[in-house]
Amino acid sequence: MNKHLNTGMSFGLTSGVITTLGLMVGLHAGTHSPLAVIGGVVTVAVADALSDALGIHIAEESRGDMTASQIWQATLATFLAKFFMALSFVVPLLSFELDVAVMVSVAWGMTVVAVLSYRMARAQGVAPWRVIGEHLFIAALVVVATQLVGVWVADTFQAGH
């Protein structure tokens, strides 16, 4: 895979996992509503995929050392990777009760991060387990932080407070 497609795919997949998991965990903790969580995931799949694609597009343009074709490869790869990665989290939401679906989604997301990290480490000739551990630790921080934020929002803004 060429460098520009790899950049877009790696960024899109990672952002798709982290953003979608954060949103799912936070919305679940704050609302316990399957509709809110599914709506959030679909919204992220569209709005955040477009946002990230534009961000990569502008970042790559600002480098000044890439052709228009290379920039568009990174842009489209980012959009498609983020869009389909985010949408993949709808499958457990439609297949399981919400509590189970969120746990399955966390496992799915962590697996994707681990596989991406492993492939990247191998390509760079570095120890895979160190890279995987670092990336999974950061992803876990996102999950814990958004869980706490969701609980705080529910406690703070729940009707009757």
Side-chain angles (χ1 to χ4, degrees):
M1 178 181 310
N2 80 38
K3 179 174 125 178
H4 314 291
L5 287 175
N6 191 47
T7 296
M9 291 288 292
S10 297
F11 181 83
L13 290 172
T14 304
S15 180
V17 168
I18 300 303
T19 303
T20 309
L21 277 184
L23 179 95
M24 288 177 71
V25 169
L27 284 174
H28 172 255
T31 69
H32 300 286
S33 165
L35 180 60
V37 176
I38 291 170
V41 169
V42 174
T43 299
V44 159
V46 175
D48 209 42
L50 288 168
S51 173
D52 282 356
L54 177 60
I56 283 290
H57 188 90
I58 291 171
E60 298 292 84
E61 275 184 335
S62 72
R63 291 178 44 172
D65 63 349
M66 295 167 49
T67 67
S69 174
Q70 293 168 330
I71 293 166
W72 278 105
Q73 286 175 28
T75 302
L76 292 173
T78 299
F79 172 76
L80 292 172
K82 173 82 176 240
F83 179 76
F84 287 111
M85 187 72 250
L87 282 184
S88 74
F89 289 95
V90 172
V91 174
L93 290 169
L94 296 176
S95 302
F96 302 103
E97 293 294 322
L98 185 58
D99 291 341
V100 173
V102 170
M103 289 187 293
V104 168
S105 295
V106 169
W108 165 235
M110 295 300 186
T111 300
V112 171
V113 169
V115 169
L116 280 170
S117 300
Y118 177 81
R119 291 186 67 220
M120 182 189 74
R122 295 285 295 187
Q124 294 177 355
V126 297
W129 304 115
R130 181 177 171 99
V131 175
I132 292 167
E134 175 186 337
H135 294 170
L136 288 178
F137 177 75
I138 294 167
L141 284 177
V142 170
V143 170
V144 170
T146 55
Q147 168 74 23
L148 294 173
V149 168
V151 168
W152 175 80
V153 167
D155 289 347
T156 303
F157 299 104
Q158 185 176 23
H161 274 83

